[in-house]
Amino acid sequence: MRNVIQSVREALLTNFRELDTWFEKDFDLLHFKPDTNQWNIREVLEHISLTNYFLLLIINKSTRRALDRRHAARSIIIPSDYMEKFDKIDVIGSRSFEWVRPEHLEPSGLQDMRDVRALLKQQFAQSMYNLSLLKNGEGMLVLTNLSVNHLGKLDIYQYIYFLTKHIERHIRQMQRLAKEYEGTAEEEVQSGSILNAADEEAESMLLI
């Protein structure tokens, strides 16, 4: 169980730390949209904070229930197929997984990025705090159903791990956006160079 808790903690640290770096990106990159139907990076960050909010409502409630139950629990038995559920959650982080988002998780694009950043920091602290309260396996005492990818009932460790994989999914989305932005910027530079060369040639013709 210690290995499970440590893995979830590392996933939290890695993904929230990576998230925070995106707030330091250039203004143009944060607002870049390859298509009007796509989110820009600032909207992705807002969406992550919205999703975390609703996931943490469940995680916080489940943590309180688990702490209430720990004294009545005689022993905590880990099922033989326990880690298979984590493998199924891993799929959430991949681009190939299709996920239809509920409307209440759609970003407005109007949130102040300073507020979103502060909220993500609070969500990270809350997730780590919950994990610290469940250090002896108590997180297995409460199961909550999650319909995404037919995951079924998850314990609290698995639910927090799902939260990290959702973040990872959108970190990859932002990385793709950054690559598209770099490609567009390069095309603009090359286009500008061609235009400048044409202008110079026109000017030289006038001097002949």
Side-chain angles (χ1 to χ4, degrees):
M1 182 49 62
R2 288 183 179 178
N3 291 339
V4 169
I5 296 172
Q6 182 60 28
S7 294
V8 175
R9 181 181 289 110
E10 288 175 0
L12 281 169
L13 284 165
T14 300
N15 288 301
F16 273 97
R17 186 181 291 127
E18 170 67 20
L19 268 187
D20 197 58
T21 66
W22 288 90
F23 290 92
E24 303 294 336
K25 303 298 183 182
D26 292 339
F27 178 91
D28 290 343
L29 171 57
L30 290 173
H31 291 79
F32 170 72
K33 280 192 176 188
D35 187 271
T36 54
N37 295 322
Q38 288 183 264
W39 292 344
N40 57 29
I41 289 174
R42 60 175 291 137
E43 289 171 325
V44 173
L45 291 167
E46 181 187 347
H47 164 73
I48 294 171
S49 70
L50 284 170
T51 306
N52 287 352
Y53 171 79
F54 287 101
L55 291 176
L56 278 167
L57 286 178
I58 296 169
I59 292 167
N60 293 341
K61 182 179 179 180
S62 298
T63 298
R64 291 192 295 270
R65 289 173 60 196
L67 295 176
D68 289 340
R69 292 181 182 181
R70 62 181 170 180
H71 299 298
R74 294 182 180 179
S75 61
I76 299 172
I77 301 173
I78 303 175
S80 58
D81 62 346
Y82 184 68
M83 297 308 298
E84 292 178 12
K85 187 77 75 171
F86 285 90
D87 293 337
K88 201 171 181 180
I89 295 170
D90 278 332
V91 178
I92 305 301
S94 68
R95 186 180 185 181
S96 60
F97 175 72
E98 294 293 333
W99 185 6
V100 180
R101 293 176 295 272
E103 287 186 10
H104 64 278
L105 297 181
E106 292 283 333
S108 66
L110 303 174
Q111 289 292 319
D112 189 309
M113 284 292 95
R114 291 170 296 184
D115 293 338
V116 174
R117 190 177 196 178
L119 180 57
L120 286 169
K121 287 179 181 291
Q122 292 171 11
Q123 291 169 343
F124 168 69
Q126 183 64 58
S127 299
M128 292 293 283
Y129 179 64
N130 285 338
L131 209 54
S132 71
L133 293 175
L134 306 170
K135 60 184 177 182
N136 295 313
E138 297 93 340
M140 296 185 66
L141 297 175
V142 176
L143 299 175
T144 307
N145 192 62
L146 187 61
S147 59
V148 178
N149 198 28
H150 308 290
L151 288 171
K153 292 185 176 181
L154 303 182
D155 68 20
I156 303 172
Y157 306 119
Q158 293 164 340
Y159 225 97
I160 296 174
Y161 189 66
F162 175 87
L163 181 150
T164 70
K165 284 297 166 179
H166 174 260
I167 292 173
E168 186 177 306
R169 174 186 183 84
H170 288 292
I171 286 174
R172 290 175 178 171
Q173 180 184 359
M174 292 189 292
Q175 290 170 341
R176 291 194 298 271
L177 281 168
K179 285 183 179 180
E180 288 186 67
Y181 172 76
E182 289 171 6
T184 301
E186 286 178 6
E187 287 177 7
E188 289 177 353
V189 170
Q190 291 173 359
S191 176
S193 298
I194 292 171
L195 289 173
N196 290 336
D199 290 342
E200 289 175 3
E201 184 176 352
E203 287 178 6
S204 64
M205 292 293 290
L206 291 172
L207 295 174
I208 294 176

